[in-house]
Amino acid sequence: MRKSIALVWGGYSSEIIVSAKSMEGVYSFLDKSRYDVYKVRLTKEEWSVDVDGQLYPVDKNDFSFTDRNSGKKIKFDYAFIIIHGTPGEDGRLQSYFDMLSIPYCTCGMMASALTFDKYICNNFLRNFGFRVADSCLLREGQTCDPDAIIGRLGLPVFVKPSIGGSSFATTKVKTQEELIPAIEIAFKEANEVVIESFIKGREVTCGCYKVEGKEVKLPLTEVVTTNEFFNYEAKYEGQVEEITPARISDELTKEIQRQTLRIYDIIGAKGIIRADYIIPEDEKPFLLEVNTVPGMTPTSFIPQQVAAAGLNITDVLTEIIEDELNKNR
C-alpha cells in the first residue's frame, strides 16, 4: 500500500520564506510514483493541507485531514519536516510526532533542541574536543558591558540570535559603537543573543547521514563570498560561490567528514545533518554550527553534495524514509 507522506513546511519564525523554497525542492525530489505526497503548511494561525489548490484543516489530534469531496479521512504515515526554525527544528514538532507514533525524517526531540541553540550546542561539543569560537551569551533583560565583551572577544565579533538560522539578524561588528545596535537587532529575532569571536579562514560545510548498516559521508562544499560574511543575501540571492568538492586536501576533507560523523553519533542524530566549519591557517577546523534541517532547494548544499558524490537525491531521500518506516513497523 502506498504511504502518505506529509511534507511539513512553514513555521513560526522569519525562516518561513526559506522553508517555502526548501519545500518546493523536496517536493520535486520525492518519489511520487511510490508515495502520496501532501504539502502541509504550519503557521501560528493554522495547520492546513494543500490538495490541488484546496486547503483542508489538519486535525491536530491525530495529524490527519478529511477530504471534503470523498469524505475520506487521511492519516499521514510519515512526516518529512522541512521547517527551518521553530517548531520544526527545535524539537517541538518532533515531540508531537513522537506522541502520535508518526515517524519523521529529522533528528529526535533532544538532538533538535540541543542543536537549535548555537551557544549551548557549541559549548556542549567543546567538551568532546571540538574547537569552537570563544563566545558569550546575553539573555533578554540582562545588562551589556561592551568594554568587557570586546576585552574578552576582541574585534570584529559576530552578533546573532542564539536560536534560528539563515543568518537572520546576524551582524559582523567591527567597532564598539556598532555592538549595542547589533545586539538590539538580534533581540528582535530571539530572546537570547550570542556574541562570538571572529575567526579568519576558509568556510566549508559537510553533510552526512546514516541508515541501517550504512553511513554516508558527503563531499565538502567550500563557501566563497565577497560579502562581509555568509549572510542571507549570500545564501539566497546568489552573492556567493559554492565549490563542491571543496578545494582542500584529501587529508583535511577526511578529518572534517570524520568530525561530522562523530557529531552525528554524539548528538544521536538521524536523517541528514550538516555541520559548518571555518579552517584557519593552522588547518585545524573550528566548528561553527550543526544544522539538523538543512536547506533543500535544488541549489542548496546537501543536493549539491549528493550530486557530487554520484548519488541521486530521490534515491537518498527514499532510503532515509524507508529506513525510518522500517524501524516503526
Side-chain angles (χ1 to χ4, degrees):
M1 180 182 293
R2 289 166 63 94
K3 299 294 186 181
S4 295
I5 306 292
L7 180 50
V8 185
W9 71 284
Y12 304 164
S13 74
S14 301
E15 292 190 84
I16 189 171
I17 59 176
V18 183
S19 177
K21 297 174 187 288
S22 287
M23 178 274 292
E24 292 295 348
V26 173
Y27 187 79
S28 71
F29 300 147
L30 290 178
D31 187 351
K32 289 174 282 294
S33 69
R34 183 176 189 136
Y35 307 116
D36 293 325
V37 182
Y38 297 89
K39 300 176 183 178
V40 181
R41 183 174 185 261
L42 272 58
T43 67
K44 286 183 177 179
E45 292 72 32
E46 66 174 0
W47 292 17
S48 60
V49 184
D50 185 337
V51 181
D52 298 326
Q54 291 190 59
L55 296 182
Y56 295 82
V58 171
D59 184 344
K60 297 178 185 178
N61 291 300
D62 60 0
F63 198 58
S64 68
F65 75 99
T66 301
D67 189 304
R68 296 190 196 98
N69 297 320
S70 66
K72 180 182 178 183
K73 182 172 183 174
I74 297 174
K75 291 185 69 173
F76 295 110
D77 300 300
Y78 184 93
F80 196 110
I81 303 170
I82 198 64
I83 293 176
H84 309 299
T86 188
E89 200 170 6
D90 58 2
R92 299 183 187 189
L93 199 55
Q94 287 80 3
S95 296
Y96 167 76
F97 287 134
D98 285 340
M99 288 189 293
L100 294 177
S101 299
I102 296 174
Y104 49 87
C105 64
T106 67
C107 293
M109 181 273 290
M110 286 295 292
S112 298
L114 169 66
T115 56
F116 190 61
D117 190 308
K118 300 178 182 68
Y119 181 83
I120 290 176
C121 182
N122 281 9
N123 281 280
F124 171 77
L125 290 171
R126 187 199 297 269
N127 294 322
F128 291 87
F130 291 89
R131 294 179 93 192
V132 298
D134 195 12
S135 62
C136 61
L137 183 72
L138 286 176
R139 291 193 170 91
E140 209 163 30
Q142 288 182 329
T143 57
C144 172
D145 184 345
D147 289 331
I149 291 171
I150 292 171
R152 174 182 164 186
L153 302 179
L155 285 171
V157 293
F158 283 106
V159 178
K160 53 191 175 184
S162 190
I163 59 173
S166 300
S167 296
F168 280 111
T170 298
T171 307
K172 184 179 181 181
V173 171
K174 298 179 179 179
T175 68
Q176 182 165 323
E177 292 72 29
E178 296 172 343
L179 183 60
I180 296 299
I183 291 170
E184 290 172 349
I185 289 169
F187 269 129
K188 291 178 181 178
E189 194 69 24
N191 59 7
E192 293 184 358
V193 170
V194 61
I195 305 166
E196 191 173 79
S197 62
F198 171 73
I199 299 167
K200 185 178 180 180
R202 179 177 295 182
E203 185 167 349
V204 298
T205 184
C206 178
C208 72
Y209 70 94
K210 291 188 177 186
V211 291
E212 186 67 32
K214 183 169 77 170
E215 62 180 32
V216 178
K217 307 178 293 286
L218 295 173
L220 275 61
T221 300
E222 180 181 350
V223 181
V224 182
T225 179
T226 56
N227 292 11
E228 281 287 347
F229 62 99
F230 191 41
N231 59 10
Y232 180 88
E233 288 75 21
K235 288 180 178 179
Y236 302 110
E237 296 179 8
Q239 299 173 18
V240 68
E241 184 180 5
E242 298 167 1
I243 302 163
T244 309
R247 299 169 299 182
I248 61 175
S249 68
D250 288 345
E251 181 182 1
L252 188 52
T253 294
K254 289 176 182 177
E255 171 59 20
I256 291 173
Q257 289 174 325
R258 184 193 69 79
Q259 288 194 24
T260 305
L261 280 169
R262 185 164 173 249
I263 290 169
Y264 196 100
D265 290 338
I266 289 170
I267 67 173
K270 62 187 181 74
I272 297 177
I273 71 162
R274 201 190 77 223
D276 302 338
Y277 301 85
I278 286 283
I279 306 171
E281 286 186 356
D282 66 5
E283 294 202 337
K284 295 179 180 178
F286 278 81
L287 174 68
L288 291 179
E289 63 180 87
V290 181
N291 192 326
T292 59
V293 185
M296 290 293 284
T297 73
T299 57
S300 292
F301 292 133
I302 292 298
Q304 284 185 53
Q305 293 172 8
V306 167
L311 304 172
N312 179 285
I313 188 67
T314 297
D315 293 340
V316 168
L317 297 186
T318 299
E319 189 174 40
I320 289 169
I321 291 170
E322 290 299 313
D323 183 68
E324 194 65 22
L325 286 172
N326 288 336
K327 290 176 183 175
N328 284 268
R329 280 181 179 153

